[in-house]
Amino acid sequence: MSRRVLIVEDDDETREFLVKGFTEEGFAVESAADGREGLFHATDGGFDAVVLDRMLPELDGLSLIKSIRAAGLKTPVIMLTAMSAVDERVKGLRAGADDYLVKPFSFQELLARIEALLRRPKDTQEAATLSCRDLEMDLLRRRVTRSGRDITLTPREFQILEFFLRRKNRVVTRTMLLEGVWDYHFDPNTNIVDVHISKLRRQIDEGSETPLIETVRGAGYMISDG
């Protein structure tokens, strides 16, 4: 299976250069020209790495990576920037970047850094599975089952369910979901949370007598053991 990389870069020439380079190296490549589009892709698909420009329209690189990390995603991210000052590199690393490369750069060096990030061992302390009652989520295989029945979820639905399972037996508010799963700049009056929860419920409750995601009136939602 090809390794998947996301390129978020607003300069057309640089973006096309990176897409061509990684494609020739055997990567499956997706790209975005601004921060909002980049965040949508980053949180909606399973990428092995993200190459992220520091200065982006719509949503800057620092805000984008903070949103990625707030969503619980540990995808390796390398930031590209024309800012060479040490304090700028520190800001990027503290925001959640794994590496930093100053423009102009060599593609071979960028490739070598990406490959080094991909060789890093996964966090062995983190559980490979999450569960609640008769539902199990395999984080490595990206597989969800309930009472042995395979459940097919979109990347977004998988992310929402993982968000709930990591906060099992605790109330999850709509604001928490907006900030943790989507970009926090979304209008808090949007019904996007309720629409996705409704779809997720249909998927995981099919054929089961007991609903898994409870509505906590006036507060939000909760997934619990009993």
Side-chain angles (χ1 to χ4, degrees):
M1 182 180 293
S2 298
R3 295 167 295 178
R4 298 186 66 218
V5 64
L6 172 64
I7 310 296
V8 189
E9 166 65 63
D10 65 320
D11 181 75
D12 293 341
E13 185 176 349
T14 302
R15 188 175 63 257
E16 291 170 7
F17 166 73
L18 291 172
V19 169
K20 181 175 183 292
F22 279 107
T23 300
E24 290 177 349
E25 291 294 330
F27 285 79
V29 186
E30 290 188 30
S31 65
D34 63 64
R36 285 195 181 280
E37 183 186 3
L39 181 62
F40 173 79
H41 284 291
T43 57
D44 210 38
F47 291 95
D48 296 293
V50 177
V51 178
L52 174 63
D53 187 28
R54 170 68 171 79
M55 300 299 292
L56 291 165
E58 303 295 333
L59 187 69
D60 70 272
L62 288 183
S63 297
L64 194 158
I65 193 171
K66 286 178 182 177
S67 296
I68 291 175
R69 297 307 183 218
L73 298 176
K74 297 185 178 181
T75 311
V77 176
I78 183 166
M79 295 194 78
L80 302 177
T81 182
M83 302 177 180
S84 59
V86 173
D87 61 332
E88 289 298 331
R89 296 200 297 272
V90 169
K91 286 179 183 177
L93 295 170
R94 285 180 172 170
D98 296 274
D99 202 351
Y100 220 92
L101 195 58
V102 176
K103 296 178 179 179
F105 58 89
S106 157
F107 177 77
Q108 289 304 316
E109 180 181 1
L110 173 60
L111 177 63
R113 290 182 181 228
I114 288 290
E115 290 177 336
L117 290 175
L118 296 180
R119 286 195 300 269
R120 286 184 181 178
K122 302 297 183 183
D123 186 358
T124 57
Q125 300 300 313
E126 184 176 352
T129 61
L130 299 172
S131 64
C132 182
R133 286 184 262 174
D134 56 347
L135 182 139
E136 289 192 359
M137 170 180 279
D138 187 326
L139 297 171
L140 299 180
R141 297 180 183 179
R142 308 291 289 181
R143 182 187 180 198
V144 177
T145 60
R146 187 168 186 190
S147 294
R149 175 180 66 89
D150 280 316
I151 301 172
T152 302
L153 300 178
T154 65
R156 179 75 74 189
E157 289 165 349
F158 190 96
Q159 189 180 354
I160 296 169
L161 183 58
E162 180 182 353
F163 193 89
F164 274 113
L165 291 172
R166 291 188 182 280
R167 293 155 184 81
K168 187 168 58 175
N169 301 317
R170 293 161 49 191
V171 173
V172 173
T173 67
R174 288 173 175 80
T175 299
M176 289 170 64
L177 285 164
L178 285 170
E179 293 180 349
V181 177
W182 289 271
D183 177 15
Y184 61 88
H185 292 292
F186 271 111
D187 180 352
N189 294 317
T190 180
N191 69 343
I192 191 170
V193 170
D194 305 283
V195 170
H196 277 78
I197 294 294
S198 178
K199 291 180 179 178
L200 179 59
R201 277 173 162 161
R202 286 198 297 271
Q203 291 289 85
I204 64 177
D205 289 340
E206 181 182 349
S208 177
E209 296 181 0
T210 309
L212 203 61
I213 300 175
E214 309 168 34
T215 298
V216 182
R217 185 168 297 179
Y221 303 95
M222 183 169 65
I223 191 169
S224 64
D225 283 320

Coordinates of all heavy atoms in Angstrom, one line a residue, residues 19-72:
V19 N 4.1 17.9 -5.2 CA 3.2 16.8 -5.6 C 3.9 15.9 -6.6 O 3.9 14.6 -6.5 CB 1.9 17.3 -6.2 CG1 1.1 16.2 -6.9 CG2 1.0 18.0 -5.2
K20 N 4.6 16.5 -7.6 CA 5.3 15.7 -8.6 C 6.4 14.9 -7.9 O 6.6 13.7 -8.2 CB 5.9 16.6 -9.6 CG 6.7 16.0 -10.8 CD 7.1 17.0 -11.8 CE 7.8 16.3 -13.0 NZ 9.1 15.7 -12.6
G21 N 7.2 15.5 -7.0 CA 8.3 14.8 -6.4 C 7.9 13.6 -5.6 O 8.4 12.5 -5.7
F22 N 6.9 13.8 -4.7 CA 6.4 12.7 -3.9 C 5.7 11.6 -4.7 O 5.8 10.4 -4.4 CB 5.5 13.2 -2.8 CG 6.2 13.8 -1.6 CD1 6.2 15.2 -1.4 CD2 6.9 13.0 -0.7 CE1 6.9 15.7 -0.3 CE2 7.5 13.5 0.4 CZ 7.6 14.9 0.6
T23 N 5.0 12.0 -5.8 CA 4.4 11.0 -6.6 C 5.4 10.1 -7.3 O 5.3 8.9 -7.4 CB 3.5 11.7 -7.7 OG1 2.5 12.5 -7.1 CG2 2.8 10.7 -8.6
E24 N 6.5 10.7 -7.8 CA 7.6 10.0 -8.4 C 8.3 9.0 -7.4 O 8.9 8.0 -7.8 CB 8.6 10.9 -9.0 CG 8.0 11.7 -10.2 CD 9.0 12.7 -10.8 OE1 10.0 13.0 -10.1 OE2 8.8 13.2 -11.9
E25 N 8.2 9.4 -6.1 CA 8.8 8.5 -5.1 C 7.9 7.4 -4.6 O 8.2 6.7 -3.7 CB 9.3 9.4 -3.9 CG 10.4 10.3 -4.2 CD 11.7 9.5 -4.5 OE1 11.9 8.4 -4.0 OE2 12.5 10.1 -5.3
G26 N 6.7 7.3 -5.2 CA 5.8 6.3 -4.9 C 4.7 6.6 -3.8 O 4.0 5.7 -3.4
F27 N 4.6 7.9 -3.4 CA 3.6 8.3 -2.5 C 2.3 8.5 -3.2 O 2.2 8.9 -4.3 CB 4.0 9.5 -1.8 CG 5.1 9.4 -0.7 CD1 6.4 9.3 -1.1 CD2 4.8 9.4 0.6 CE1 7.4 9.2 -0.2 CE2 5.8 9.2 1.6 CZ 7.1 9.1 1.2
A28 N 1.2 8.3 -2.4 CA -0.1 8.7 -2.8 C -0.3 10.1 -2.3 O -0.2 10.3 -1.1 CB -1.2 7.8 -2.3
V29 N -0.5 11.1 -3.1 CA -0.4 12.5 -2.7 C -1.8 13.2 -2.9 O -2.5 13.0 -3.9 CB 0.6 13.2 -3.6 CG1 0.8 14.7 -3.0 CG2 2.0 12.5 -3.6
E30 N -2.1 14.0 -1.9 CA -3.3 14.9 -2.0 C -2.7 16.3 -1.6 O -1.7 16.4 -0.9 CB -4.4 14.5 -1.0 CG -5.1 13.3 -1.5 CD -6.4 13.0 -0.6 OE1 -7.0 14.0 -0.2 OE2 -6.7 11.8 -0.4
S31 N -3.4 17.3 -2.1 CA -2.8 18.7 -1.8 C -4.0 19.6 -1.6 O -5.1 19.4 -1.9 CB -2.0 19.2 -3.0 OG -2.8 19.3 -4.2
A32 N -3.6 20.7 -0.9 CA -4.5 21.8 -0.6 C -3.8 23.1 -0.7 O -2.6 23.2 -0.5 CB -5.1 21.6 0.8
A33 N -4.6 24.2 -1.2 CA -4.0 25.5 -1.5 C -4.2 26.5 -0.3 O -3.7 27.6 -0.4 CB -4.5 26.0 -2.8
D34 N -5.0 26.1 0.7 CA -5.2 27.0 1.8 C -5.4 26.2 3.1 O -5.5 25.0 3.1 CB -6.3 28.0 1.6 CG -7.7 27.3 1.5 OD1 -8.1 26.7 2.4 OD2 -8.3 27.4 0.4
G35 N -5.3 27.0 4.2 CA -5.4 26.3 5.5 C -6.7 25.6 5.8 O -6.7 24.5 6.4
R36 N -7.8 26.1 5.4 CA -9.1 25.5 5.7 C -9.2 24.2 4.9 O -9.7 23.2 5.5 CB -10.2 26.5 5.4 CG -10.4 27.6 6.4 CD -11.8 28.2 6.3 NE -11.9 29.3 7.2 CZ -12.2 29.1 8.5 NH1 -12.4 27.9 8.9 NH2 -12.3 30.1 9.3
E37 N -8.9 24.3 3.7 CA -8.9 23.0 2.8 C -8.0 22.0 3.4 O -8.3 20.8 3.4 CB -8.6 23.4 1.4 CG -8.7 22.2 0.4 CD -8.2 22.5 -1.0 OE1 -7.8 23.6 -1.2 OE2 -8.3 21.6 -1.8
G38 N -6.8 22.5 3.8 CA -5.8 21.6 4.4 C -6.3 20.9 5.6 O -6.1 19.7 5.8
L39 N -7.0 21.6 6.5 CA -7.5 21.1 7.7 C -8.6 20.0 7.4 O -8.7 19.0 8.1 CB -8.1 22.2 8.6 CG -8.7 21.7 10.0 CD1 -7.6 21.1 10.8 CD2 -9.3 22.9 10.7
F40 N -9.4 20.3 6.4 CA -10.5 19.4 6.0 C -9.9 18.1 5.6 O -10.3 17.0 6.1 CB -11.3 20.0 4.9 CG -12.3 19.0 4.3 CD1 -13.5 18.8 4.9 CD2 -12.0 18.4 3.1 CE1 -14.4 17.9 4.4 CE2 -12.9 17.5 2.6 CZ -14.1 17.2 3.2
H41 N -8.8 18.1 4.8 CA -8.2 16.9 4.3 C -7.5 16.2 5.5 O -7.6 15.0 5.6 CB -7.2 17.2 3.2 CG -7.8 17.5 1.9 ND1 -8.4 16.5 1.1 CD2 -7.9 18.7 1.2 CE1 -8.9 17.1 0.0 NE2 -8.6 18.4 0.0
A42 N -6.8 17.0 6.3 CA -5.9 16.4 7.3 C -6.8 15.6 8.4 O -6.4 14.6 8.9 CB -5.1 17.4 8.0
T43 N -8.0 16.1 8.6 CA -8.8 15.5 9.7 C -9.8 14.5 9.1 O -10.6 13.9 9.8 CB -9.6 16.5 10.5 OG1 -10.4 17.4 9.6 CG2 -8.6 17.4 11.2
D44 N -9.8 14.4 7.7 CA -10.8 13.5 7.1 C -10.2 12.3 6.4 O -11.0 11.5 5.8 CB -11.6 14.3 6.1 CG -13.1 13.8 6.0 OD1 -13.6 13.4 7.0 OD2 -13.6 13.8 4.8
G45 N -8.9 12.2 6.5 CA -8.3 11.0 5.8 C -7.1 10.5 6.6 O -6.5 11.3 7.4
G46 N -6.7 9.3 6.4 CA -5.6 8.7 7.1 C -4.3 8.9 6.4 O -3.8 8.1 5.6
F47 N -3.6 10.0 6.6 CA -2.3 10.3 6.0 C -1.2 9.8 6.9 O -1.3 9.8 8.1 CB -2.2 11.8 5.8 CG -3.1 12.3 4.7 CD1 -4.3 12.9 5.1 CD2 -2.8 12.2 3.4 CE1 -5.2 13.4 4.1 CE2 -3.7 12.7 2.4 CZ -4.9 13.3 2.8
D48 N -0.1 9.4 6.2 CA 1.1 9.0 6.9 C 2.0 10.2 7.3 O 2.8 10.1 8.2 CB 1.9 8.0 6.0 CG 1.2 6.8 5.7 OD1 0.9 6.0 6.7 OD2 0.8 6.5 4.6
A49 N 1.8 11.3 6.6 CA 2.6 12.5 6.9 C 1.9 13.7 6.2 O 1.2 13.6 5.2 CB 4.0 12.4 6.3
V50 N 2.2 14.9 6.8 CA 1.7 16.2 6.2 C 2.9 17.1 6.0 O 3.7 17.3 7.0 CB 0.7 16.8 7.2 CG1 0.2 18.2 6.6 CG2 -0.5 15.9 7.4
V51 N 3.0 17.7 4.9 CA 4.0 18.8 4.6 C 3.2 20.1 4.6 O 2.3 20.3 3.8 CB 4.7 18.6 3.3 CG1 5.6 19.7 3.0 CG2 5.4 17.2 3.3
L52 N 3.5 21.0 5.5 CA 2.6 22.1 5.8 C 3.4 23.4 5.7 O 4.4 23.6 6.4 CB 2.1 22.0 7.2 CG 1.3 23.1 7.8 CD1 0.0 23.3 7.0 CD2 0.9 22.8 9.3
D53 N 2.9 24.3 4.8 CA 3.5 25.7 4.7 C 3.1 26.5 6.0 O 2.1 26.3 6.5 CB 3.0 26.4 3.5 CG 3.7 27.7 3.2 OD1 4.9 27.8 3.6 OD2 3.1 28.6 2.6
R54 N 4.0 27.3 6.4 CA 3.8 28.1 7.6 C 2.8 29.3 7.4 O 1.9 29.5 8.2 CB 5.1 28.7 8.1 CG 5.1 29.8 9.2 CD 4.6 29.2 10.5 NE 4.7 30.2 11.6 CZ 3.9 31.2 11.8 NH1 2.8 31.3 11.0 NH2 4.1 32.0 12.8
M55 N 3.0 30.0 6.2 CA 2.1 31.1 5.9 C 1.0 30.7 4.9 O 1.4 30.4 3.8 CB 2.9 32.3 5.4 CG 3.9 32.8 6.4 SD 3.2 33.4 7.9 CE 2.4 34.8 7.3
L56 N -0.2 30.6 5.3 CA -1.3 30.1 4.5 C -2.5 31.1 4.5 O -2.7 31.7 5.6 CB -1.8 28.7 4.9 CG -0.8 27.6 4.7 CD1 -1.3 26.4 5.5 CD2 -0.7 27.2 3.2
P57 N -3.2 31.2 3.4 CA -4.5 32.0 3.5 C -5.6 31.2 4.2 O -5.5 29.9 4.4 CB -4.9 32.2 2.0 CG -4.2 31.0 1.3 CD -2.9 30.7 2.1
E58 N -6.6 31.8 4.7 CA -7.7 31.3 5.4 C -7.4 30.8 6.8 O -8.1 31.1 7.8 CB -8.3 30.1 4.6 CG -8.8 30.5 3.2 CD -9.9 31.5 3.2 OE1 -10.7 31.5 4.1 OE2 -10.0 32.2 2.2
L59 N -6.4 30.0 7.0 CA -6.0 29.5 8.3 C -4.5 29.2 8.2 O -4.0 28.5 7.4 CB -6.7 28.2 8.6 CG -6.6 27.6 10.0 CD1 -7.3 28.4 11.0 CD2 -7.1 26.2 10.0
D60 N -3.7 29.9 9.1 CA -2.3 29.8 9.0 C -1.8 28.5 9.5 O -2.5 27.7 10.2 CB -1.6 31.0 9.8 CG -1.8 30.8 11.3 OD1 -2.8 31.3 11.8 OD2 -0.9 30.2 11.9
G61 N -0.5 28.2 9.2 CA 0.0 26.9 9.5 C 0.0 26.5 11.0 O -0.3 25.4 11.3
L62 N 0.3 27.5 11.8 CA 0.3 27.2 13.3 C -1.1 26.9 13.8 O -1.2 25.9 14.5 CB 0.9 28.4 14.0 CG 2.4 28.7 13.9 CD1 2.7 29.9 14.8 CD2 3.2 27.5 14.3
S63 N -2.1 27.6 13.3 CA -3.4 27.3 13.8 C -3.9 26.0 13.2 O -4.6 25.2 13.9 CB -4.4 28.4 13.3 OG -4.1 29.7 13.8
L64 N -3.5 25.7 12.0 CA -3.9 24.4 11.4 C -3.3 23.2 12.2 O -4.0 22.3 12.5 CB -3.4 24.3 9.9 CG -4.0 23.3 9.0 CD1 -3.9 23.7 7.6 CD2 -3.3 21.9 9.2
I65 N -2.0 23.3 12.5 CA -1.4 22.1 13.2 C -2.0 22.0 14.6 O -2.2 20.9 15.2 CB 0.1 22.2 13.2 CG1 0.7 20.9 13.7 CG2 0.6 23.3 14.1 CD1 2.2 20.8 13.5
K66 N -2.3 23.2 15.3 CA -2.9 23.1 16.6 C -4.3 22.4 16.5 O -4.6 21.6 17.4 CB -3.1 24.5 17.2 CG -1.8 25.2 17.6 CD -2.0 26.6 18.1 CE -0.7 27.2 18.6 NZ -0.9 28.6 19.0
S67 N -5.0 22.7 15.4 CA -6.3 22.0 15.3 C -6.2 20.5 15.0 O -6.9 19.7 15.5 CB -7.1 22.7 14.1 OG -7.4 24.0 14.4
I68 N -5.1 20.2 14.3 CA -4.8 18.7 14.0 C -4.6 18.0 15.3 O -5.1 16.9 15.6 CB -3.7 18.6 13.0 CG1 -4.0 19.1 11.6 CG2 -3.2 17.1 13.0 CD1 -2.9 19.1 10.6
R69 N -3.7 18.6 16.1 CA -3.4 18.0 17.4 C -4.6 18.0 18.4 O -4.7 17.0 19.1 CB -2.2 18.7 18.0 CG -0.9 18.6 17.2 CD -0.5 17.2 16.8 NE 0.7 17.2 16.1 CZ 1.0 16.4 15.1 NH1 0.0 15.5 14.7 NH2 2.1 16.4 14.5
A70 N -5.4 19.0 18.3 CA -6.5 19.1 19.2 C -7.5 18.0 18.8 O -8.3 17.5 19.7 CB -7.2 20.5 19.1
A71 N -7.5 17.6 17.6 CA -8.4 16.5 17.1 C -7.9 15.1 17.5 O -8.5 14.1 17.3 CB -8.6 16.6 15.6
G72 N -6.7 15.1 18.2 CA -6.2 13.8 18.6 C -5.3 13.1 17.6 O -4.9 12.0 17.8

